[in-house]
Amino acid sequence: MTVRWGLIGASTIARQFMINAIRAQGDGEVVAVMSSSPERANTYAGENGIPRGVSTLADLLSAGVDAVYISTTNELHLEQALAAIEAGKHVLCEKPLALTSADARKMVAAANAAGVVLGTNHHLRNAGAHRAMREAIAAGRIGKPIAARVFHSVYLPESLQGWRISKPEAGGGVVLDITVHDADTLRFVLGDDPVEISAFTQSAGMAGGGLEDGAMCIWRFKSGVIAQSHEGFTTKFAGTGFEVHGSEGSLFATNVMTQKPVGSVLLRTGAGEEELSFDREDLYARSLRQFHAAIRGEGRPSATGEDGVWSLAAAEAALQSAKSGKAVTIDPKLGSAA
Ligand code: NDP
């Protein structure tokens, strides 16, 4: 069965990655795109070989679609997801799922009640590098995990220096943009859930409107593991990485907090150093493959709606901590879902 996709949002991420990822599936087709502007809808459809451009949600949902991919600005995700779910469509939604974890939980509850698949597009779970790290840890190759460090401070390209750095009402700021990914990737790689976070944020000169463009967080996990993470929009030369240190070994991943299947993972133990090999499949194509399988009733999306609630609850707690100057408990009001 072909999965007929409707795109909600004429976005950069859809153009750069997701349209190709859908088309990379033997059973995936993009049938329509919705923009709030009829002109942009038609131009985007034409430029990307999409048969229809529409400018209302009702038109998109009645365009014969089985599933929708939501990549509008963050304040719109909730309303659009609930409408799509009500129309019986499967929903792959960009992170953050909503502006609050309470709203994200409404999306999960609605999808469960309607019996449709809801996924969160946390692409990093689909990176071979992160899967290799998760497998090495689960196999005991670093012994008991003790601490992790995430280096995820980048330079926001000029073309994306819009709502992210100027519109709090659209869910701008580096915490809702990047800390959510770090929350999800830490959970996935460690197979553990965070319980507490302490954060400092900054405005280093790029973001306005009271938004943060840099964050440093300290995390405590259920098992006792502690972690630190650095997210930013303003560092041109920092590079990215992810380290996990255990009682019997350490994992050093370089250039892995990215949208491409690149980077390397080194395992260092008493036996010496070993470069871990991993597959280099496109992250978004793998995410789509899992999502299509979930629609067929085979397994779950690589990141579920519940995972999206967790990452947003962590980001929310980080923002609250930065404001209050105190450590904050992370409570997604869900069962363990790591
Ligand atoms: P964009 O800024 O490219 O698009 C967001 C919205 O902005 C679009 O839906 C569109 O509205 C509007 N827009 C785009 N271009 C123009 C324009 N030229 N003039 C006026 N309005 C315009 O956002 P991104 O693609 O960077 O991000 C979209 C979502 O995806 C966010 O939720 C973000 O967090 C997420 N994201 C996720 C990534 C991941 O790897 N998982 C990576 C990047 C983003 P309309 O549809 O009404 O035309």
Side-chain angles (χ1 to χ4, degrees):
M1 181 200 94
T2 300
V3 182
R4 294 160 55 85
W5 284 89
L7 308 182
I8 300 180
S11 69
T12 307
I13 174 79
R15 181 160 36 82
Q16 289 183 338
F17 292 98
M18 294 301 285
I19 294 171
N20 288 341
I22 291 169
R23 290 179 177 152
Q25 314 302 314
D27 57 353
E29 196 184 333
V30 183
V31 298
V33 59
M34 188 208 100
S35 163
S36 56
S37 143
E39 195 188 355
R40 203 161 53 245
N42 286 329
T43 307
Y44 192 96
E47 284 171 359
N48 294 287
I50 299 170
R52 278 189 74 187
V54 300
S55 61
T56 69
L57 199 48
D59 283 348
L60 192 277
L61 295 175
S62 58
V65 302
D66 307 304
V68 299
Y69 166 61
I70 300 176
S71 62
T72 46
T73 48
N74 302 331
E75 84 285 15
L76 299 173
H77 296 176
L78 170 71
E79 181 196 330
Q80 292 168 338
L82 291 179
I85 290 166
E86 200 183 318
K89 313 300 178 191
H90 303 290
V91 175
L92 179 57
C93 186
E94 271 304 341
K95 40 49 68 172
L97 282 186
L99 296 187
T100 67
S101 57
D103 280 348
R105 283 199 304 277
K106 287 182 199 159
M107 293 160 70
V108 171
N112 287 343
V116 297
V117 177
L118 171 65
T120 311
N121 205 28
H122 278 307
H123 62 293
L124 290 166
R125 281 179 180 241
N126 294 286
H130 296 300
R131 285 185 291 121
M133 291 174 83
R134 177 178 162 102
E135 281 158 23
I137 292 168
R141 298 200 69 191
I142 63 165
K144 182 177 154 29
I146 294 168
R149 297 198 277 235
V150 180
F151 308 90
H152 201 171
S153 182
V154 299
Y155 189 76
L156 190 65
E158 215 167 295
S159 59
L160 293 183
Q161 291 179 23
W163 59 270
R164 274 183 180 78
I165 55 165
S166 60
K167 286 199 174 163
E169 68 279 14
V174 78
V175 171
L176 287 183
D177 201 50
I178 304 185
T179 308
V180 284
H181 278 312
D182 291 349
D184 188 66
T185 312
L186 278 161
R187 288 183 65 238
F188 177 71
V189 168
L190 296 170
D192 198 356
D193 291 322
V195 290
E196 191 179 7
I197 190 163
S198 191
F200 279 179
T201 57
Q202 68 180 167
S203 181
M206 184 186 279
L211 287 170
E212 77 291 343
D213 55 25
M216 284 213 181
C217 306
I218 305 172
W219 312 65
R220 187 190 307 282
F221 283 77
K222 260 179 203 153
S223 66
V225 166
I226 53 173
Q228 64 184 48
S229 68
H230 177 201
E231 296 87 20
F233 285 155
T234 65
T235 54
K236 287 184 176 154
F237 307 104
T240 72
F242 191 157
E243 300 173 359
V244 185
H245 304 284
S247 57
E248 311 300 327
S250 285
L251 287 163
F252 298 86
T254 307
N255 192 22
V256 295
M257 307 307 288
T258 161
Q259 296 177 290
K260 303 244 167 87
V262 295
S264 60
V265 182
L266 181 81
L267 171 66
R268 185 180 296 152
T269 65
E273 292 190 341
E274 180 189 336
E275 195 76 45
L276 300 188
S277 63
F278 52 85
D279 83 60
R280 303 276 170 174
E281 182 177 359
D282 180 272
L283 281 59
Y284 298 92
R286 186 175 185 279
S287 166
L288 255 295
R289 195 171 73 238
Q290 300 262 118
F291 196 89
H292 280 199
I295 291 177
R296 293 193 302 270
E298 298 160 14
R300 305 191 307 169
S302 52
T304 60
E306 284 87 349
D307 292 319
V309 175
W310 264 101
S311 63
L312 182 50
E316 231 168 26
L319 287 171
Q320 210 183 324
S321 168
K323 206 165 166 190
S324 67
K326 294 185 179 134
V328 172
T329 301
I330 298 167
D331 180 10
K333 297 189 173 63
L334 292 171
S336 176

